[in-house]
Amino acid sequence: MNTQIKYLSELNPGEEGYIAKVLGHGRFRKRINEMGFVAGKKVTVIKRAPLQDPVEYEIMGYRISLRNSEAEMIEIVSSTEQFEDKSQNYGTIDEGLKTSAIKKGKEINIALVGNPNCGKTTIFNYASGSHEHVGNYSGVTIDAKEATLKYGEYTINITDLPGTYSITEYSPEELYVRKHIIEKKPDIVVNVLDASNLDRNLFLTTQLIDMDIKVVIALNMFDELKDKDIDFRYDDFGKMIGIPVVPTIASKGTGIKELIQRIIRVYEDADPSVRHIHINYGSEIENAIKGIQSVIWENPSIGDRLSSRFLAIKLLEQDNETRKFLSQYNNYNEIIAEAEKRIEALEKEYSEQSETIITDAKYGFIDGALKETRTLPHEKPKRQIRKLDDLLTHKIWGFPIFFAFLFIIFEATFAIGQYPMDWIDAGVSWIGDLVSTHMPDGPLKDLIVDGVICGVGGVVVFLPNILILFFFISLMEDTGYMARAAFLMDKIMHKIGLHGKSFIPLIMGFGCNVPAVMATRTLENRSDRLLTMLIIPFMSCSARLPLYLLLIAAIFPSNQGLMLFVVYLAGMLMAVVMAKIFSKTLFRKKEVPFVMELPPYRIPTAKSTLIHMWEKGKQYLKKMGTVILTASIIIWALGYFPRDTEYSQDYDAIIAQAEANGDDETAAQAAVDKEAERQEASYIGRIGHAIEPIIKPLGFDWKIGVSLFSGMAAKEIVVSTMGILYQADEEADENSVSLQKKLQQQTYVHGPKAGEKVFTPLVALTLMIFVLIYFPCIATIVAIAKESRWKWAIFVMVYTTLLAYLVSLAVYQIGSLII
């Protein structure tokens, strides 16, 4: 059966449907349920008022009028929908719609809410079978992730919201979570708590209590309480605050089934521990809340959308988003006047800002509730972990350890990755030989061998190295060391005009610049976010890694790990220099305090780390079959056509004469010269020669220029383009030769440099520097535009390309004078 869910407000007079779900809030939801608007009941639209609002409906034999704003909060299954599944014997269409509506009532929408590092995404993954990355630092979950699971007769839609410490208005995450709860109105909010840090985690819980919504607490990492000998009577705690508490150990899947069962019981209103409580903030604050509520109640429609108590508390906290929400109602001025009067009285009484007064009262409630239900051990905690942390964040040894770890990552990327890389390279060559041997000559064969196999195959060989890099990055995230690195670097970041938290997005940029740009949302200050976005492209993402690996293995075989470390270090130094310049020019701003959670060290599960590594590997392979394959075919076509080339010599005659004389060397050289001349006359050759005067001062030939131009779409395409351009003459070889050897063998055919190597160590270094700095990939540009504005995205495109040219010019010209 294919039925479409609509809202009651969408029906026209004369149309009818069946109630699926009431989404409203508080008194509205209670009142509307009491009047018969429950799942499965038939409702018919009678007529609209002259001004189209309100609307008269008939339900259960009597008539009722609702405003459009109220009807928008009632989901229905429309009777105009056709039933495609004839196998179900409902008897009549009406009976089928009624059954469909009741079935829709078995659909539960839940939202996972909690502090960063509390294990929300781990629960999401385990419950839904998804493979979202789990990291032990703030800001991993950037956007809301959605998944669906079936449990008995219920369909449960899960949304994993960004980690946040509260739902005020300090960061984009906080507003995003708050808007989701208010606008999407999930049936149940699952508040995930880190059991080892209840005092801080429960602050968000108090705000959910104020909102008067259905909540279930997942007490995650429950095993850590036992390890610390902490006795927490969570059942008593749940009864005290009116919220059921389910202990979970998400990393092992413990308690997830029980959590889902409890969610269903709460949804069915069958859990006796659920009750709405009002946190007692003290007589003065309570009087202020009631005073504001009394003015809000003068417009009953406000309370249909949001709890009046929640709104009153937010007004006392001087929350601008709440003011914006209330500005649409006609008694807005009276509400604000009352709120300001109450705020003035409280601040005079407490000699403190009203927001701080509310916060202190919330933590007072938390302390009192935990004293009643939690018993802490008397003995001091073990110091082994503390000693480890002292070493890793030591003022002297912390930096050498961090940079040593980075060097180990780069060295391992080569050392461990070389063996599977050689196997894949051999496999690609074998496939190329097989196709060359068995396919008849013609454009299709050339496309497959020179375009697809050389283009895509030239990039796919680096998959093992990419996986190894992501494995180590995942390890840094999952253990909690990433946050320590940010702590370690804060003073340096501060010196160059950046916030300490900026270090995490920058390190993430080593994996991929796109999520790194999105991770800047964790920075509260807009200037910090923009400044960090502008320098993230200098962090060498995994897309650039194939070119580095190719050039370093071909030109610097004896110092591979060191050279890779130097290139990455150059990117970091470039980021430092540009951050300093931008902070003194574009982003002069007031200092923002460095406040960042240092999560506890945890041993990551092999499953989590391997899943993260493989998910990134899948993205890399997906890019192979889409962007890079398409680009490879385009590059091949531009290099293959036109076919009516006028050669400077009769190469066929020279080759035939040389073969007749047994002079294989002359024949092979003539074949290479013929192919080089044909390439220069092709469309891509013409493009290359057009831009060659611009790149010639950098030591680049036209083939390098074309490769760089194509790499603007995605940096991996630089390698695939080289694979096509430098291996197009492979038919002249008896055995296929790897792209590395091809680069080593490349010489200039014409001009003053004829016979000289194209890829000298200086040229290779200059090329890596240029690719390091210039034009980020299209996906990164779009991400920057999405997170800021297009003017900043365009600025990044222009300034990075100009900077790449100037720096590369300096490197090559100065290097030429020295060498």
Side-chain angles (χ1 to χ4, degrees):
M1 181 172 61
N2 181 21
T3 57
Q4 182 180 356
I5 299 302
K6 295 183 177 180
Y7 295 98
L8 184 58
S9 58
E10 297 177 31
L11 295 186
N12 295 315
E15 293 182 341
E16 58 187 26
Y18 282 83
I19 306 296
K21 188 182 293 185
V22 177
L23 302 175
H25 177 82
R27 292 183 304 164
F28 164 77
R29 186 168 183 171
K30 182 180 180 183
R31 184 175 72 249
I32 211 77
N33 285 153
E34 289 173 347
M35 300 179 85
F37 285 83
V38 293
K41 295 299 181 182
K42 182 179 177 180
V43 59
T44 305
V45 184
I46 303 301
K47 63 178 180 289
R48 293 183 179 274
L51 296 179
Q52 303 299 306
D53 196 16
V55 182
E56 182 179 336
Y57 300 95
E58 182 176 302
I59 185 169
M60 296 176 64
Y62 70 95
R63 297 189 179 188
I64 182 174
S65 67
L66 297 176
R67 296 191 189 99
N68 283 321
S69 59
E70 295 169 331
E72 285 174 356
M73 294 187 282
I74 301 174
E75 287 187 358
I76 57 102
V77 177
S78 172
S79 61
T80 60
E81 297 294 328
Q82 296 299 314
F83 282 76
E84 297 179 357
D85 188 353
K86 307 297 183 183
S87 63
Q88 300 188 57
N89 183 19
Y90 290 123
T92 66
I93 292 292
D94 279 356
E95 188 63 27
L97 285 163
K98 181 177 180 180
T99 304
S100 174
I102 294 172
K103 184 178 179 182
K104 173 61 182 174
K106 297 293 185 181
E107 185 174 307
I108 308 175
N109 298 315
I110 71 171
L112 297 178
V113 174
N115 289 189
N117 313 313
C118 68
K120 276 186 313 82
T121 306
T122 310
I123 290 177
F124 177 80
N125 288 344
Y126 205 96
S128 64
S130 299
H131 294 146
E132 293 300 331
H133 174 48
V134 180
N136 189 15
Y137 69 95
S138 175
V140 173
T141 307
I142 303 301
D143 282 326
K145 310 294 192 307
E146 297 180 348
T148 300
L149 69 92
K150 295 285 291 183
Y151 192 88
E153 60 184 348
Y154 281 95
T155 299
I156 302 177
N157 303 314
I158 310 174
T159 302
D160 178 21
L161 294 173
T164 180
Y165 296 105
S166 72
I167 44 176
T168 51
E169 56 175 359
Y170 294 124
S171 71
E173 281 85 2
E174 293 177 351
L175 283 178
Y176 186 95
V177 171
R178 181 158 135 195
K179 285 182 177 179
H180 182 93
I181 295 173
I182 293 171
E183 295 173 6
K184 300 297 183 180
K185 299 178 179 63
D187 299 305
I188 309 286
V189 169
V190 177
N191 182 201
V192 184
L193 303 181
D194 177 355
S196 64
N197 201 346
L198 287 172
D199 302 74
R200 193 216 48 224
N201 278 236
L202 283 168
F203 183 79
L204 177 58
T205 309
T206 63
Q207 294 179 318
L208 297 175
I209 292 172
D210 291 337
M211 293 185 81
D212 188 15
I213 54 179
K214 285 187 175 181
V215 180
V216 174
I217 288 177
L219 188 63
N220 198 32
M221 306 175 196
F222 190 68
D223 52 335
E224 295 191 12
L225 284 183
K226 297 179 180 178
D227 292 342
K228 296 177 180 178
D229 293 327
I230 297 173
D231 177 28
F232 181 51
R233 297 173 291 284
Y234 58 86
D235 280 332
D236 294 339
F237 180 81
K239 292 174 183 176
M240 182 184 299
I241 64 172
I243 298 175
V245 180
V246 182
T248 62
I249 308 172
S251 60
K252 300 176 182 177
T254 304
I256 304 299
K257 182 179 178 181
E258 291 78 6
L259 176 63
I260 295 170
Q261 291 171 342
R262 201 67 177 266
I263 289 169
I264 292 172
R265 285 173 57 192
V266 172
Y267 178 75
E268 293 176 336
D269 294 322
D271 194 310
S273 63
V274 176
R275 62 189 179 92
H276 177 60
I277 69 162
H278 286 173
I279 296 173
N280 191 327
Y281 293 111
S283 58
E284 290 87 357
I285 299 175
E286 287 297 326
N287 288 334
I289 293 171
K290 289 174 183 175
I292 299 171
Q293 277 184 289
S294 66
V295 185
I296 293 175
W297 286 336
E298 292 175 7
N299 191 335
S301 60
I302 299 177
D304 293 343
R305 296 266 176 178
L306 269 175
S307 162
S308 60
R309 182 175 175 84
F310 174 73
L311 292 171
I313 293 169
K314 282 297 167 190
L315 286 173
L316 289 176
E317 292 176 338
Q318 304 186 52
D319 184 274
N320 289 325
E321 285 296 314
T322 301
R323 290 184 172 226
K324 194 182 298 182
F325 170 78
L326 291 170
S327 64
Q328 61 187 300
Y329 296 100
N330 53 24
N331 60 334
Y332 168 72
N333 291 330
E334 291 82 356
I335 296 172
I336 297 304
E338 180 68 21
E340 289 177 349
K341 183 180 77 173
R342 298 289 182 169
I343 288 170
E344 185 180 356
L346 281 177
E347 291 185 344
K348 185 177 180 180
E349 175 71 24
Y350 286 90
S351 300
E352 186 61 86
Q353 289 187 345
S354 59
E355 184 179 0
T356 303
I357 297 168
I358 299 292
T359 301
D360 289 345
K362 284 182 180 293
Y363 276 114
F365 168 79
I366 292 168
D367 289 342
L370 289 177
K371 282 180 181 177
E372 294 290 325
T373 55
R374 184 180 63 176
T375 304
L376 298 173
H378 296 292
E379 65 271 14
K380 293 182 180 180
K382 298 178 181 178
R383 288 197 47 83
Q384 285 85 344
I385 297 296
R386 182 65 188 171
K387 289 179 180 178
L388 173 64
D389 191 54
D390 289 343
L391 175 64
L392 294 178
T393 58
H394 194 272
K395 62 181 181 180
I396 296 175
W397 299 110
F399 288 104
I401 291 172
F402 173 64
F403 285 107
F405 187 64
L406 287 182
F407 180 76
I408 291 170
I409 292 175
F410 301 135
E411 189 65 36
T413 300
F414 274 106
I416 301 174
Q418 188 63 47
Y419 299 102
M421 180 178 165
D422 290 342
W423 300 335
I424 296 174
D425 195 17
V428 170
S429 298
W430 178 80
I431 293 172
D433 292 341
L434 186 68
V435 174
S436 296
T437 304
H438 292 89
M439 275 194 74
D441 291 338
L444 181 60
K445 174 184 174 181
D446 294 337
L447 169 62
I448 294 175
V449 175
D450 298 331
V452 177
I453 296 176
C454 290
V456 177
V459 183
V460 76
V461 296
F462 299 105
L463 177 62
N465 309 88
I466 301 293
L467 292 176
I468 292 168
L469 179 64
F470 276 117
F471 172 81
F472 280 105
I473 291 177
S474 176
L475 212 58
M476 290 177 70
E477 295 170 353
D478 294 349
T479 56
Y481 182 58
M482 185 77 88
R484 267 70 187 183
F487 170 78
L488 199 66
M489 297 294 292
D490 176 59
K491 191 167 185 178
I492 295 176
M493 303 295 279
H494 179 75
K495 292 286 185 184
I496 64 175
L498 284 170
H499 193 280
K501 278 187 178 180
S502 296
F503 188 70
I504 289 176
L506 292 175
I507 289 294
M508 287 180 69
F510 287 147
C512 179
N513 284 175
V514 175
V517 168
M518 296 173 72
T520 59
R521 294 180 192 176
T522 58
L523 300 168
E524 289 84 1
N525 184 278
R526 175 172 168 78
S527 295
D528 286 327
R529 290 199 298 273
L530 285 172
L531 178 52
T532 306
M533 272 187 255
L534 293 185
I535 64 171
I536 279 175
F538 298 124
M539 299 295 104
S540 282
C541 64
S542 59
R544 297 179 175 99
L545 187 58
L547 179 72
Y548 299 157
L549 298 176
L550 173 66
L551 292 175
I552 290 172
I555 313 300
F556 306 98
S558 57
N559 297 293
Q560 296 186 9
L562 178 61
M563 282 304 301
L564 187 62
F565 180 74
V566 168
V567 173
Y568 274 74
L569 187 61
M572 289 187 274
L573 292 175
M574 187 61 64
V576 167
V577 171
M578 295 311 300
K580 188 69 174 176
I581 293 172
F582 288 145
S583 66
K584 294 294 184 183
T585 55
L586 298 177
F587 302 106
R588 291 187 176 184
K589 59 189 188 313
K590 295 180 180 179
E591 292 183 12
V592 177
F594 178 68
V595 181
M596 190 185 74
E597 179 190 12
L598 291 177
Y601 288 101
R602 292 193 174 99
I603 299 174
T605 63
K607 180 181 177 181
S608 170
T609 304
L610 292 175
I611 284 176
H612 176 219
M613 182 178 73
W614 174 239
E615 286 299 311
K616 294 299 182 182
K618 279 204 307 186
Q619 292 177 21
Y620 187 74
L621 289 173
K622 185 178 179 181
K623 197 184 284 188
M624 297 294 108
T626 53
V627 178
I628 294 172
L629 175 60
T630 303
S632 297
I633 293 172
I634 293 172
I635 297 296
W636 170 85
L638 291 173
Y640 190 78
F641 298 103
R643 301 302 291 174
D644 54 344
T645 306
E646 293 185 8
Y647 296 103
S648 60
Q649 302 180 59
D650 188 351
Y651 287 109
D652 291 336
I654 295 173
I655 292 171
Q657 182 64 42
E659 289 177 346
N661 297 333
D663 189 353
D664 294 337
E665 186 176 344
T666 300
Q669 186 59 48
V672 170
D673 293 343
K674 178 185 178 182
E675 178 59 25
E677 197 168 322
R678 189 201 66 75
Q679 271 195 348
E680 291 187 14
S682 68
Y683 294 126
I684 202 167
R686 296 171 191 177
I687 295 171
H689 283 295
I691 63 176
E692 191 171 30
I694 301 173
I695 60 173
K696 194 173 182 180
L698 309 182
F700 302 159
D701 70 348
W702 69 268
K703 293 183 181 180
I704 295 176
V706 169
S707 301
L708 292 172
F709 183 78
S710 65
M712 290 183 176
K715 292 298 173 282
E716 297 98 334
I717 298 176
V718 175
V719 174
S720 63
T721 304
M722 286 183 166
I724 294 167
L725 294 178
Y726 292 117
Q727 297 205 132
D729 61 334
E730 198 167 284
E731 60 187 10
D733 297 338
E734 292 183 3
N735 299 305
S736 61
V737 178
S738 71
L739 183 55
Q740 289 180 16
K741 291 183 180 178
K742 280 289 179 181
L743 297 188
Q744 294 169 350
Q745 296 168 2
Q746 283 301 305
T747 57
Y748 287 97
V749 179
H750 307 295
K753 289 187 177 182
E756 294 183 18
K757 294 283 187 182
V758 173
F759 289 94
T760 63
L762 181 58
V763 170
L765 177 62
T766 305
L767 179 54
M768 287 190 288
I769 294 296
F770 192 93
V771 171
L772 165 71
I773 302 173
Y774 92 118
F775 197 102
C777 70
I778 295 298
T780 301
I781 294 298
V782 172
I784 292 173
K786 182 180 176 183
E787 296 300 318
S788 56
R789 291 179 183 174
W790 268 107
K791 71 173 185 179
W792 290 112
I794 294 169
F795 176 72
V796 169
M797 288 189 283
V798 174
Y799 105 82
T800 54
T801 305
L802 288 176
L803 187 64
Y805 188 88
L806 294 174
V807 173
S808 299
L809 179 65
V811 170
Y812 182 74
Q813 294 298 331
I814 295 173
S816 298
L817 294 175
I818 296 174
I819 300 176

